[in-house]
Amino acid sequence: MPQKLLFVINPDAGKGAIREKTLDCIDLFVREGFDVMVYTTQKSQDATRIVRARAEEFDRIVCSGGDGTLNEVVTGLLDGGHKVPLGYIPAGTVNDFASSLFIPKQVMEAAKMAAGSDFQTVDIGRFAGRYFCYVAAFGAFTNVSYTTPQVQKNLLGRTAYILEGIKSLPSVKPYDIRIETDDGLVIEDQFIYGMISNATSIGGFKELTPRDVRMDDGLFEVVLVRQPKTPLDWQNIFNELVQPHEESQFLIEFKTPGLQVSSNTEISWTLDGEFGGTLKEVRIDNQYQALTIFSHKM
């Protein structure tokens, strides 16, 4: 009996790049012995709905789209309590999760991996009842990494992120924040940016995350940026971002399995590059090895 495979496609991701390769992907899956059902998403949250409702009918799910589509599929799997393994064909503009797992950018190479037998289990974040695959962030520059042109990233690397971020400086505001971690750390300060991540790439930049990231250890990597007081402080922050220091005046970095973030004002969050809501308090937990995904074993 052939195994059943659900192929969920966002046809508009990455300017519709997957469209011309869809038949080739289906042909590959059939040749590998799968009975394939194709579902093209029609609107936001469509992937979550179909996966939540029908995942148990299939032996494997493969999705193609950007980080937002991936987030919807993972949400459908976890919300439904499904243990079905996932293959991913990245077709968005950033694809941080795929980069972190060394999933190929080339459609057919990624399809071969999705149809293969190499897999690993990875952690997933839970944010106020919602899931995120690799990052929850707030504050200054939150969207910069997703709006910086790829040409600039290729030419200038991390500097492109910083140059693009400078444009948003007039709108930057600090938040009075209290953070309590599951392992007893308490931090209270003014921060202009915070990132809770489980990835080696954020917004296409590998330099924005700590170097010792493991995606299956049950721990988040947390980066916080304190409020600068003077124009010189801004310069020091940028210097520390470009060339991280062991001891930093403005950056706080640590690992934790979970944390509570509280503020006296509402904070807008981004989850996997999409709007995540505006909250004064939020609980963020690491779901240890909650997802099985086909990729090169780490």
Side-chain angles (χ1 to χ4, degrees):
M1 287 285 293
Q3 289 193 322
K4 293 185 177 181
L5 184 151
L6 174 60
F7 189 16
V8 179
I9 304 170
N10 178 351
D12 298 320
K15 299 181 180 179
I18 186 61
R19 290 175 182 265
E20 62 186 48
K21 294 290 186 179
T22 297
L23 185 57
D24 291 335
C25 290
I26 296 170
D27 181 57
L28 184 152
F29 296 149
V30 172
R31 284 188 280 110
E32 291 295 325
F34 293 99
D35 182 1
V36 182
M37 173 184 157
V38 178
Y39 185 86
T40 55
T41 60
Q42 304 299 307
K43 57 186 177 181
S44 176
Q45 304 306 313
D46 211 13
T48 295
R49 181 190 61 79
I50 190 70
V51 170
R52 182 193 293 120
R54 302 194 58 181
E56 287 302 321
E57 300 174 28
F58 300 91
D59 302 288
R60 182 177 306 206
I61 294 173
V62 177
C63 74
S64 181
D67 290 331
T69 303
L70 175 68
N71 180 289
E72 288 190 19
V73 171
V74 170
T75 295
L77 284 169
L78 299 187
D79 270 354
H82 305 304
K83 300 297 183 182
V84 183
L86 177 66
Y88 181 40
I89 302 173
T93 55
V94 179
N95 305 310
D96 285 313
F97 195 69
S99 297
S100 298
L101 291 172
F102 303 101
I103 296 174
K105 295 180 180 179
Q106 296 77 16
V107 169
M108 294 313 298
E109 290 301 312
K112 290 177 184 177
M113 180 174 286
S117 57
D118 288 343
F119 63 88
Q120 60 182 303
T121 53
V122 297
D123 305 334
I124 295 295
R126 188 167 175 84
F127 174 98
R130 294 178 57 181
Y131 295 101
F132 63 94
C133 294
Y134 67 95
V135 66
F138 70 84
F141 320 139
T142 302
N143 296 319
V144 168
S145 55
Y146 299 93
T147 58
T148 303
Q150 190 62 48
V151 172
Q152 291 187 28
K153 294 180 186 179
N154 294 341
L155 289 174
L156 302 176
R158 192 170 187 163
T159 305
Y161 173 88
I162 295 166
L163 293 176
E164 195 72 14
I166 290 173
K167 298 178 184 178
S168 65
L169 289 183
S171 63
V172 169
K173 64 176 183 178
Y175 296 98
D176 290 306
I177 289 177
R178 176 183 173 88
I179 292 176
E180 301 176 66
T181 72
D182 288 359
D183 32 15
L185 181 64
V186 177
I187 300 171
E188 289 188 78
D189 210 331
Q190 286 192 320
F191 296 105
I192 60 168
Y193 176 78
M195 177 176 74
I196 297 91
S197 66
N198 185 46
T200 62
S201 173
I202 302 295
F205 296 95
K206 292 186 178 295
E207 300 90 339
L208 296 181
T209 58
R211 296 178 183 178
D212 57 342
V213 175
R214 286 192 58 86
M215 298 179 68
D216 61 354
D217 60 359
L219 298 173
F220 292 123
E221 283 71 39
V222 181
V223 177
L224 303 167
V225 180
R226 287 191 176 99
Q227 160 72 355
K229 305 298 184 184
T230 69
L232 180 60
D233 290 344
W234 279 110
Q235 180 63 53
N236 290 333
I237 288 174
F238 292 142
N239 290 341
E240 290 176 3
L241 285 169
V242 173
Q243 296 180 330
H245 295 66
E246 289 296 326
E247 300 234 348
S248 171
Q249 181 181 355
F250 297 100
L251 305 185
I252 298 176
E253 296 181 294
F254 58 90
K255 295 176 182 282
T256 184
L259 64 161
Q260 180 83 17
V261 181
S262 305
S263 175
N264 56 4
T265 58
E266 291 189 331
I267 298 176
S268 293
W269 289 82
T270 296
L271 304 180
D272 293 346
E274 306 288 338
F275 180 63
T278 303
L279 304 164
K280 285 186 177 182
E281 294 191 12
V282 63
R283 172 73 196 178
I284 307 173
D285 292 296
N286 188 296
Q287 308 291 291
Y288 177 63
Q289 297 187 5
L291 177 69
T292 300
I293 188 164
F294 291 94
S295 67
H296 290 304
K297 293 182 178 179
M298 297 176 67

